[in-house]
């Protein structure tokens, strides 16, 4: 993987969930290099919603995809809201 690649989170982990990022969410690699086997991934939401943000994700917890879809993130986020 490399900078600006589109990726999907393939695991559910508390270390990501505490930031609002859950399995199936899609984002973009946001830095030009991996640090300690992690990638900084930016997760966005649709329209005027504030983005989830960027967090460090272990490379083994990601898979590369052709294109990220923020609507997928919206649907997953809604499943975790009270």
């Amino acid at each position: 993987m490399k900078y600006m690649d589109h990726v999907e989170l393939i695991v559910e982990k508390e270390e990501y969930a505490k930031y609002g990022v859950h399995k199936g969410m899609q984002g973009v690699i946001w830095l030009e290099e991996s640090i300690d086997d992690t990638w900084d991934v930016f997760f966005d939401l649709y329209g005027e919603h504030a983005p989830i943000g960027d967090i460090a994700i272990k490379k083994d917890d990601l898979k590369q995809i052709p294109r990220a879809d923020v609507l997928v993130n919206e649907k997953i986020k809604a499943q975790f809201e009270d």
Side-chain angles (χ1 to χ4, degrees):
M1 286 182 259
K2 63 186 183 315
Y3 174 65
M4 296 303 289
D5 277 353
H6 295 245
V7 293
E8 180 178 318
L9 183 63
I10 58 172
V11 296
E12 181 71 27
K13 289 187 176 178
E14 180 59 34
E15 64 189 279
Y16 308 139
K18 69 182 178 184
Y19 296 104
V21 177
H22 301 279
K23 181 180 178 179
M25 286 189 161
Q26 301 176 359
V28 177
I29 293 180
W30 211 238
L31 291 178
E32 293 193 19
E33 57 188 55
S34 172
I35 300 169
D36 295 328
D37 286 332
T38 66
W39 286 104
D40 192 59
V41 180
F42 180 77
F43 294 91
D44 204 359
L45 295 171
Y46 184 71
E48 296 181 19
H49 293 119
I52 296 169
D54 58 296
I55 65 170
I57 305 284
K58 293 177 183 166
K59 69 177 184 176
D60 292 339
D61 295 344
L62 296 168
K63 74 172 182 179
Q64 191 171 348
I65 58 175
R67 185 176 81 79
D69 182 351
V70 295
L71 292 178
V72 169
N73 294 350
E74 288 281 343
K75 290 176 185 175
I76 294 170
K77 181 179 182 272
Q79 294 173 5
F80 289 90
E81 292 178 341
D82 294 327

